[in-house]
Amino acid sequence: MKLIVGLGNPGDKYKDTFHNVGFSALDKLAAELGENQWSNRFKGQMIRGNYGKFPYILLKPMTYMNISGESVVACMQYYKVSLENTLVISDDIDRPVGLLRYRASGGHGGHNGLRSIIQLCGQNTFHRLKVGIGRPDFKQEVSSYVLSKPRLEANQLIESALNQATGYLLDYIQGITIQIKQQVD
C-alpha cells in the first residue's frame, strides 16, 4: 500500500496559497482517480482506494503545517505503511515556480511540514515530490509569501506542474519510479 500525503493548511484563508500546493496536488489526483469522498481520520482528510490492483491512501493533514507529522504518523501506524511506501508533496521555495523535484529521501530543507514528519518518524526515508513556488522579492517576508495566492502567471505554472504531478503520482502508486524530465539541478 502506498501513502501519498499532501501538505497544506486547513481553512478557506489558506486555500489556493503557495503553501497549499500539496493539498491541490491531492485534489487533482483524487479527481483523476474518480474519488471525491474525503473522510475525517487521523487529524486529517483521507481517501483509501485502489488503482487497478494497487492500494493507496491519500492524506491531507488538517493539523496545520508545523505539526502535520502527527496526522502522517497516526495514519502510517494504523495502516502499517512504511516510510519507504510514503510520498509527501510539498511546496519548495528554493525551486523556480512550477518546477517539480522528486527525491527518494532527504532532509527538510527548512520546510516545517517535512521537519515535523521527520521528527515524529525519527527518519527521513520517505519520498518527496516538491513543487517549486520560487522566492519572494527582497521586500516580502517568506512567511507572508508562502501564505499568499500566486498571481496569474505563477498560478498557470503551478497548475501545469500539478497536472504533470498527477501522472507521476499514478506511476508511484503502481510502484514505477518517478522520472521527472524537466528537473534542473
Side-chain angles (χ1 to χ4, degrees):
M1 178 176 299
K2 300 290 186 176
L3 170 61
I4 301 177
V5 178
L7 296 183
N9 285 310
D12 289 339
K13 176 180 176 181
Y14 302 105
K15 185 173 173 43
D16 300 323
T17 62
F18 283 114
H19 220 23
N20 274 32
V21 297
F23 281 6
S24 298
L26 278 194
D27 289 338
K28 283 190 176 295
L29 178 59
E32 182 69 23
L33 291 165
E35 301 280 3
N36 62 7
Q37 296 293 348
W38 293 89
S39 61
N40 294 318
R41 298 206 50 201
F42 312 112
K43 298 182 183 179
Q45 293 181 342
M46 71 163 262
I47 292 174
R48 184 173 174 212
N50 290 297
Y51 182 55
K53 63 180 182 176
F54 302 98
Y56 63 83
I57 299 169
L58 308 181
L59 178 67
K60 296 190 291 189
M62 294 289 140
T63 55
Y64 290 96
M65 189 70 73
N66 294 352
I67 57 173
S68 51
E70 292 178 8
S71 175
V72 175
V73 168
C75 184
M76 287 175 61
Q77 289 175 343
Y78 184 84
Y79 287 108
K80 297 176 179 38
V81 178
S82 69
L83 276 175
E84 292 75 19
N85 285 321
T86 302
L87 182 142
V88 178
I89 309 160
S90 68
D91 59 291
D92 186 348
I93 199 165
D94 291 323
R95 301 203 65 72
V97 175
L99 202 64
L100 296 172
R101 181 176 190 191
Y102 167 77
R103 294 190 66 196
S105 66
H108 56 72
H111 193 285
N112 288 329
L114 296 174
R115 177 181 285 134
S116 173
I117 295 167
I118 292 168
Q119 285 176 342
L120 291 177
C121 289
Q123 298 180 49
N124 64 353
T125 55
F126 55 91
H127 302 260
R128 294 134 167 88
L129 184 59
K130 297 180 176 188
V131 181
I133 62 168
R135 285 201 162 270
D137 63 35
F138 66 95
K139 295 178 184 177
Q140 190 175 19
E141 287 188 31
V142 169
S143 60
S144 64
Y145 175 74
V146 299
L147 296 176
S148 68
K149 295 184 180 189
R151 294 189 177 165
L152 181 61
E153 184 179 337
N155 191 54
Q156 290 171 338
L157 291 171
I158 289 171
E159 282 298 311
S160 177
L162 295 179
N163 289 334
Q164 283 183 306
T166 298
Y168 298 134
L169 294 170
L170 291 173
D171 285 348
Y172 177 76
I173 291 171
Q174 298 173 83
I176 300 169
T177 303
I178 295 176
Q179 300 282 333
I180 297 179
K181 296 169 181 52
Q182 51 132 29
Q183 184 172 341
V184 177
D185 279 330

